[in-house]
């Protein structure tokens, strides 16, 4: 899920373009004195992400009070967060621990492909969760019919599957371009902008395909979420009592907070003007939506959702 990056490498003279077999992920190499501190910090963060999201997955499966479409989608979203962060964070930890920053051409392409697929999955799942809240608040009488178990399963499967062909094709297209002699990726993982920056020659077509992919897999789900919440706000404002309005908004607040965290950082990263891109800024922002958001997801749902808090109490009491 990316859009065109800053100007890429200039076209290399004949014979200077190489068929690279590996790249070098620079990562945190600019702060060598902080390597072990960052390693320890990221280990703690990774454990928090796995335990927090794993707990959400568990309670949405075993607690009878959470057997509703909203928590069904939440469980799968938390599972996708665990997968998403596991594509990038273990490699970052390995690089910090061993100081071996090389990554093979195939491994880099594989990492990018899974990152894009899981990123697209999360975008669609967040849109599905917004649609679920829209139906629950705007069409409560038809909710059991419209969001029956079969439909919920189809929506989840569709969210996981629909991004695969496009993202596999996009990854194949990016790694089919010739790369210049420089093989240093100024990033923590193989993301589209820093990899495409190493390409030689005219990559306008590649940049346009990346931009179209970002529109489909990022902007379209985001616009669906905006549409759903505009309808929800319109409906809630018409409710007769303040208590009803507060209750309706409370069922959406956790999801809305995660949407702001995830889409906010991703859109700032990939849709801001290419002239404002810099390696340092891009790395900080990418850490935010690949690491910080998955870490805060279970916290947001636990602190702002009474049903989840009660389920956690029952789980820990047992």
């Amino acid at each position: 899920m990316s859009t065109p990056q800053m100007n890429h490498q200039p076209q290399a003279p004949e014979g200077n373009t190489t068929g690279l077999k590996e790249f070098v992920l620079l990562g945190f190499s600019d702060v060598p004195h902080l390597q072990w501190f960052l390693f320890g910090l990221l280990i703690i963060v990774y454990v928090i992400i796995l335990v927090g999201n794993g707990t959400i997955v568990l309670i949405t499966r075993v607690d009878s009070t959470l057997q509703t479409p909203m928590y069904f989608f939440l469980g799968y979203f938390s599972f996708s967060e665990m997968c998403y962060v596991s594509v990038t964070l273990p490699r970052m930890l390995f690089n910090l621990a061993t100081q071996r920053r090389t990554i093979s051409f195939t491994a880099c392409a594989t990492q990018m492909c899974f990152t894009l697929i899981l990123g697209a999955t999360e975008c669609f799942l967040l849109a599905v969760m917004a649609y679920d809240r829209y139906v629950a608040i705007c069409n409560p009488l038809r909710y059991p019919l419209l969001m029956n178990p079969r439909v919920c399963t189809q929506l989840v499967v569709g969210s996981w599957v629909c991004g695969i062909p496009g993202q596999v094709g996009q990854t194949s297209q990016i790694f089919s371009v010739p790369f210049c002699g420089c093989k240093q990726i100024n990033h923590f993982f193989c993301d589209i902008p820093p990899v495409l920056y190493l390409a030689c020659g005219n990559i306008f077509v590649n940049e346009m395909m990346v931009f179209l992919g970002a529109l489909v897999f990022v902007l379209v789900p985001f616009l669906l979420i905006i549409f759903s919440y505009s309808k929800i706000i319109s409906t809630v404002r018409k409710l007769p009592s303040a208590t009803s309005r507060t209750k309706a908004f409370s069922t959406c607040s956790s999801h809305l907070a995660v949407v702001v965290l995830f889409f906010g950082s991703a859109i700032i990263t990939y849709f801001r003007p290419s002239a404002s891109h810099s390696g340092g800024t891009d790395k900080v922002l990418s850490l935010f939506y690949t690491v910080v958001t998955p870490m805060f997801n279970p916290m947001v749902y636990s602190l702002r959702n009474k049903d989840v808090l009660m389920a956690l109490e029952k789980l820990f009491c047992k």
Side-chain angles (χ1 to χ4, degrees):
M1 56 179 190
S2 307
T3 55
Q5 173 72 325
M6 62 172 67
N7 295 331
H8 56 278
Q9 297 273 355
Q11 187 161 2
E14 193 67 31
N16 220 17
T17 303
T18 59
L20 295 179
K21 294 184 179 179
E22 64 180 18
F23 294 102
V24 177
L25 290 168
L26 295 181
F28 298 100
S29 60
D30 54 338
V31 283
H33 56 290
L34 294 177
Q35 301 294 299
W36 286 108
F37 168 76
L38 291 170
F39 177 80
L41 179 63
L42 289 176
I43 280 280
I44 294 171
V45 169
Y46 191 38
V47 170
I48 290 173
I49 291 171
L50 294 182
V51 172
N53 285 284
T55 302
I56 295 290
V57 172
L58 178 63
I59 62 174
T60 56
R61 292 293 171 269
V62 302
D63 194 288
S64 58
T65 61
L66 302 183
Q67 303 304 305
T68 64
M70 181 172 75
Y71 297 111
F72 177 78
F73 296 133
L74 173 60
Y76 277 100
F77 180 75
S78 294
F79 177 70
S80 72
E81 292 271 55
M82 294 166 65
C83 296
Y84 187 50
V85 77
S86 295
V87 174
T88 56
L89 201 48
R91 183 78 201 196
M92 292 162 58
L93 291 169
F94 174 80
N95 292 349
L96 283 168
T98 64
Q99 295 300 301
R100 292 169 53 191
R101 298 187 177 89
T102 57
I103 182 170
S104 70
F105 191 88
T106 302
C108 188
T110 302
Q111 186 186 59
M112 178 185 291
C113 187
F114 278 101
T115 301
L116 294 175
I117 289 172
L118 290 165
T121 298
E122 293 202 1
C123 290
F124 286 124
L125 281 174
L126 286 170
V128 165
M129 293 166 78
Y131 173 71
D132 171 69
R133 293 298 83 209
Y134 158 73
V135 176
I137 293 173
C138 301
N139 296 286
L141 297 179
R142 300 182 62 195
Y143 184 72
L145 177 65
L146 293 175
M147 301 303 292
N148 62 66
R150 181 182 175 185
V151 171
C152 292
T153 302
Q154 289 173 341
L155 288 171
V156 167
V157 172
S159 297
W160 277 88
V161 171
C162 64
I164 293 176
Q167 303 296 18
V168 170
Q170 183 156 266
T171 304
S172 301
Q173 180 208 41
I174 288 168
F175 280 87
S176 66
V177 302
F179 292 97
C180 297
C182 178
K183 61 179 183 179
Q184 294 183 339
I185 299 176
N186 189 20
H187 216 284
F188 307 110
F189 62 95
C190 293
D191 201 6
I192 290 179
V195 171
L196 208 52
Y197 181 71
L198 303 181
C200 296
N202 188 348
I203 57 169
F204 176 77
V205 173
N206 303 85
E207 290 180 330
M208 286 301 100
M209 293 303 295
V210 170
F211 182 71
L212 289 175
L215 288 178
V216 172
F217 297 113
V218 179
L219 200 57
V220 169
F222 183 67
L223 291 176
L224 289 173
I225 293 170
I226 295 296
F227 174 79
S228 297
Y229 274 104
S230 67
K231 293 291 185 181
I232 289 171
I233 292 171
S234 177
T235 300
V236 169
R237 289 179 62 186
K238 297 175 184 176
L239 294 177
S241 68
T243 304
S244 300
R245 290 194 293 271
T246 302
K247 185 178 179 180
F249 275 127
S250 68
T251 65
C252 303
S253 60
S254 299
H255 174 257
L256 198 54
V258 173
V259 167
V260 171
L261 283 171
F262 184 80
F263 279 99
S265 55
I267 287 174
I268 291 172
T269 300
Y270 295 114
F271 284 89
R272 72 187 194 276
S274 59
S276 65
H277 280 272
S278 70
T281 303
D282 286 347
K283 285 194 286 187
V284 171
L285 287 170
S286 69
L287 270 180
F288 196 87
Y289 68 82
T290 59
V291 177
V292 176
T293 302
M295 182 176 67
F296 278 102
N297 173 49
M299 297 181 190
V300 168
Y301 275 99
S302 299
L303 295 175
R304 299 186 62 84
N305 192 300
K306 292 180 181 178
D307 293 334
V308 172
L309 280 174
M310 291 175 63
L312 287 172
E313 283 182 20
K314 285 192 286 183
L315 179 67
F316 288 123
C317 286
K318 290 180 181 179

